[in-house]
Amino acid sequence: MSQRPQTLERPPGEDPAGALDAAAAFSYLAAHTELLPNLGYWEQDAQHRITRMIGPQSSAGVLDTSVFIGHTPWEMGGTPALGWARTRPMFERHEPFEELVIKYVNPQGVVNHISHTLQARADAQGRFIGYQGVFKDVTRRVAMERRVALEHQV
């Protein structure tokens, strides 16, 4: 059984055209289908701050998404495989991300690996207004890949 989605609103006055429509559609799908367990949606503003996040409600071992609102990805305490020194410039260039895996450790010390797929957004004049995309917990997959790699080393 999938968890009910948690919706977090962006600060007042920040509503890029069409962003709420996409988020509302995703929220509806997440609330009404078993096909999207463990999948979330997020948006950033032009300064790369998280403005909206929809995802599974917090439970043991799952990150509390509410703590990310208003922060950039590099302020959220996670570490991408390439490190932020190499990854942050990709955000600044507005490159798309496919399967950007970031390792997070929650306050209880539980490690989560979250995969992000992000696309830059632009307004009607073509100006960058942030990113939007989906995220999913790939902790089990990462653990399995590490086990397989260790077995091949032996």
Side-chain angles (χ1 to χ4, degrees):
M1 179 186 253
S2 68
Q3 298 169 326
R4 304 268 315 151
Q6 175 179 352
T7 302
L8 302 168
E9 297 301 322
R10 71 171 45 85
E14 293 187 27
D15 185 16
L20 285 178
D21 293 336
F26 182 85
S27 182
Y28 177 83
L29 287 172
H32 293 92
T33 182
E34 298 294 320
L35 299 176
L36 299 175
N38 207 28
L39 188 66
Y41 171 87
W42 65 314
E43 296 174 358
Q44 295 177 345
D45 63 17
Q47 290 75 41
H48 305 291
R49 295 177 305 232
I50 306 299
T51 57
R52 184 174 178 85
M53 214 174 224
I54 302 167
Q57 290 183 1
S58 298
S59 63
V62 177
L63 294 173
D64 178 4
T65 57
S66 67
V67 301
F68 300 136
I69 301 298
H71 298 283
T72 65
W74 42 92
E75 295 173 336
M76 298 187 325
T79 308
L82 295 175
W84 283 116
R86 291 183 59 195
T87 306
R88 187 172 174 178
M90 297 165 70
F91 275 93
E92 300 298 335
R93 292 189 300 267
H94 312 148
E95 294 180 18
F97 290 92
E98 185 74 31
E99 291 277 327
L100 170 65
V101 177
I102 300 177
K103 175 184 170 182
Y104 298 96
V105 181
N106 73 13
Q108 293 75 37
V110 177
V111 175
N112 293 276
H113 295 270
I114 309 297
S115 173
H116 305 272
T117 298
L118 303 166
Q119 189 69 34
R121 300 179 297 138
D123 64 14
Q125 289 74 39
R127 291 182 300 241
F128 175 74
I129 58 171
Y131 275 94
Q132 68 181 13
V134 295
F135 61 92
K136 62 184 173 183
D137 188 332
V138 294
T139 303
R140 287 186 182 143
R141 184 186 84 193
V142 170
M144 185 182 306
E145 290 169 354
R146 287 186 177 159
R147 266 182 261 152
V148 168
L150 284 173
E151 289 172 3
H152 283 81
Q153 289 178 356
V154 176

